[in-house]
Amino acid sequence: MTALSVSTSSAASLRADALVIGVGKGPKGLVVAPGAEAVAEAFEGKLAEVLSTLGATGAEGESVKLPSPAGLKAALILAVGLGEPSDEGYGQEALRRAAGVAARTLSGVKKAALALPAASAEEFEAVALGGLLGSYSYTTYKVSENGKAPVGELVLLTDRKGSKDVKAAVERAAAIGEEINRARDLINAAPNDLNPKSFAAIAQAAGKEHGLKVEVLDEKALTKGGFGGILGVGTGSDNPPRLVKISYTHPKAKATLAFVGKGITYDSGGISLKPAGHNETMKCDMSGAAAVFAAVVAAKRLGLAVNITTWLALAENMPSGSATRPGDVLKMYGGKTVEVLNTDAEGRLVLADAIVRAGEENPDVIVDVATLTGAMMMALGNRTFGVMSNSDELRNRLHATAEEVGEQSWPMPLPADLRKGMVESTIADLANMGERMGGGLVAGLFLKEFVADGIDWAHLDIAGPAFHEGAPFGYIPRGGTGSAIRTLVRFAEDTAKS
Ligand code: BES
Ligand code: MN
Ligand code: ZN
């Protein structure tokens, strides 16, 4: 894992293999960002000209390597693009992305110093977090994508090292960044290695490490408790399901949050089998569970003054002689009956049980996170998650929180008219499918049926952004991204402060 440190050394005198500077897009072409003064001087005022001649424009995502001129200790200069500045500077997200690009570009390098223009503690945290997230590489089955080890150490340059807020910013970035990277490892793990049982064991180990209470319901306990949704989804698999409860409490907490995560360790579709081309990445269907797991561990590491109960609804959705059939009726936890019309609409079944169970403890808010529908990807694309809620205020708050931390989201409605498609034409209380049109909203409406009266609930459908199949960009690698974790942590922080 890449180490983070802070130094007050000057950019010129710090011993490092590479020195990272920022460049922006000014009205008359490329401009050198604050923090790079020493480098500009060493280039005798020609730095912008050299970079422009090499084709750089200062656009976001750009990176250009230069050999270091005399007068600088680092052998290599890496200029990364920050885009167009506003009156307030380049902004946190541009800094996070630039630091991510730098960390990724410098894989194989032992020690890199970052001299990006971070003016406030928040911007400093953004650079630290972007660097940690950008350095990520999934190394369980091979060294890395390019055969090089992640950058060994990132040194963040500042002239205010001793100041409390800088220290706190780096600690926060480390707690959040390391937990996001851990969630990415879980998502990227092959589904023959990560199943409900092994996921539960990982949660138990993390509980021991961080001092969190972890309780696991195995298939026997689930049967005894009447968790028909989780059992119905898991029954086709040789790997039985689990419901994991992770509790974090703080003595000064005034509010209790419940986070619920969809944890389908592999979604084949079940008897309603997905066709080839639609199941190769379905190991990512536990990204919601990975997100809420990472968020509660990060909250504990940050010591947030809030209680958080996290529920991981874990199952493997497989076809077999013991699998749930389209047409079967399940008795859900809490007693509602559901006719399973499509076994590929399994996420809502495991979540429904967990949402009812979470509601029994009367939390102030329930937030569930799930790779729930292809329809949400159709609506919002691959980088934006949908936010649905039974409370307009909570939905707007989560959307705003996501924006603050640099995660793309959009508020989506739960139109009452779409409910009847799941209620009429079924022999049970509900069917697990309704109208095809607006499928992401139908799924949200299904979940809403299981929220106890009086509890504010929100649903984040992260089917798009959870797993990135293209080339890496900014601080987003190929594969598991850790979507929604930053939003959940900030939401918990804001709750703790209010
Ligand atoms: N896990 C999928 C949704 C998904 C699709 C996530 C692509 C990430 C990428 C979910 O279980 C599913 O199969 N949903 C169905 C529901 C339908 C059968 C009502 C869908 O969206 O097609
Ligand atoms: Mn499915
Ligand atoms: Zn699924």
Side-chain angles (χ1 to χ4, degrees):
M1 184 113 56
T2 301
L4 271 186
S5 63
V6 179
S7 171
T8 44
S9 298
S10 73
S13 67
L14 186 86
R15 263 181 213 290
D17 303 302
L19 175 61
V20 178
I21 58 168
V23 290
K25 251 183 133 119
K28 286 181 238 136
L30 180 139
V31 291
V32 176
E37 292 79 7
V39 179
E41 214 170 283
F43 274 91
E44 293 170 349
K46 292 221 163 76
L47 179 58
E49 197 185 321
V50 169
L51 287 168
S52 305
T53 308
L54 284 166
T57 65
E60 253 190 46
E62 254 177 28
S63 70
V64 180
K65 287 176 182 166
L66 296 173
S68 221
L72 300 176
K73 280 264 156 49
L76 178 80
I77 303 296
L78 177 68
V80 286
L82 290 161
E84 266 175 53
S86 74
D87 292 344
E88 286 100 56
Y90 291 94
Q92 290 177 36
E93 180 62 6
L95 288 167
R96 225 178 270 120
R97 289 187 181 192
V101 169
R104 180 150 31 77
T105 308
L106 293 173
S107 64
V109 168
K110 281 216 177 74
K111 183 172 172 183
L114 301 181
L116 293 171
S120 64
E122 285 78 22
E123 291 188 346
F124 201 73
E125 182 183 329
V127 172
L129 183 58
L132 258 189
L133 295 178
S135 70
Y136 176 82
S137 147
Y138 185 56
T139 57
T140 301
Y141 308 112
K142 69 173 185 184
V143 176
S144 70
E145 205 167 293
N146 61 9
K148 293 179 192 166
V151 57
E153 185 184 353
L154 293 175
V155 186
L156 309 174
L157 299 181
T158 175
D159 45 17
R160 29 204 288 255
K161 183 185 178 185
S163 88
K164 251 198 186 150
D165 55 352
V166 163
K167 198 170 158 246
V170 176
E171 276 171 13
R172 285 173 42 82
I176 297 167
E178 284 167 16
E179 293 315 317
I180 290 176
N181 286 344
R182 184 150 54 167
R184 290 171 168 181
D185 276 351
L186 287 170
I187 298 164
N188 290 330
N192 57 333
D193 282 339
L194 190 83
N195 55 49
K197 194 173 160 187
S198 62
F199 195 153
I202 289 167
Q204 270 168 326
K208 276 222 177 81
E209 183 188 343
H210 296 287
L212 291 161
K213 189 172 168 201
V214 178
E215 295 155 76
V216 177
L217 298 189
D218 63 9
E219 67 273 31
K220 267 198 195 148
L222 290 168
T223 306
K224 210 171 154 210
F227 290 86
I230 296 174
L231 287 164
V233 173
T235 188
S237 170
D238 290 339
N239 297 305
R242 296 284 184 267
L243 177 64
V244 178
K245 177 186 184 186
I246 308 171
S247 313
Y248 166 60
T249 55
H250 190 280
K252 294 207 175 109
K254 289 195 199 89
T256 299
L257 305 177
F259 291 161
V260 178
K262 170 177 174 180
I264 301 299
T265 58
Y266 185 69
D267 182 13
S268 71
I271 298 292
S272 315
L273 193 63
K274 286 182 189 293
H278 290 260
N279 49 23
E280 295 87 344
T281 58
M282 277 303 132
K283 64 178 184 181
C284 81
D285 215 16
M286 35 56 71
S287 296
V292 298
F293 174 41
V296 73
V297 174
K300 164 76 196 191
R301 287 178 64 172
L302 297 171
L304 304 184
V306 58
N307 297 329
I308 304 175
T309 312
T310 292
W311 302 87
L312 316 180
L314 307 175
E316 186 180 49
N317 189 22
M318 295 291 271
S320 77
S322 61
T324 291
R325 315 154 186 81
D328 281 357
V329 173
L330 302 176
K331 188 160 186 200
M332 310 293 282
Y333 185 72
K336 280 202 171 75
T337 54
V338 174
E339 185 179 13
V340 179
L341 296 180
N342 188 323
T343 63
D344 199 12
E346 84 299 337
R348 62 197 74 181
L349 298 171
V350 300
L351 287 169
D353 274 6
I355 287 171
V356 174
R357 180 65 192 86
E360 283 181 350
E361 307 198 344
N362 214 14
D364 295 286
V365 176
I366 299 178
V367 181
D368 79 69
V369 186
T371 46
L372 206 58
T373 65
M376 197 55 59
M377 304 171 77
M378 286 290 194
L380 297 178
N382 284 324
R383 296 189 185 180
T384 303
F385 61 79
V387 187
M388 283 147 272
S389 177
N390 59 0
S391 151
D392 290 350
E393 197 191 326
L394 177 61
R395 187 188 57 225
N396 294 339
R397 187 180 147 199
L398 276 161
H399 170 54
T401 303
E403 179 146 326
E404 264 178 44
V405 297
E407 292 201 287
Q408 286 172 218
S409 76
W410 202 250
M412 301 295 276
L414 292 172
D417 56 282
L418 288 177
R419 181 177 178 272
K420 66 176 186 302
M422 284 184 296
V423 178
E424 294 166 8
S425 80
T426 172
I427 57 167
D429 292 326
L430 279 167
N432 76 331
M433 254 185 77
E435 283 177 42
R436 199 170 73 85
M437 294 297 169
L441 319 179
V442 171
L445 282 162
F446 181 91
L447 297 178
K448 184 168 169 252
E449 294 289 315
F450 296 87
V451 179
D453 285 343
I455 298 184
D456 283 351
W457 152 83
H459 160 55
L460 311 182
D461 190 338
I462 60 167
F467 197 82
H468 178 60
E469 289 186 66
F473 66 95
Y475 50 85
I476 302 294
R478 215 184 279 281
T481 61
S483 177
I485 298 170
R486 285 181 286 145
T487 300
L488 292 174
V489 173
R490 179 61 66 88
F491 183 79
E493 274 179 329
D494 290 344
T495 306
K497 280 185 212 144
S498 63

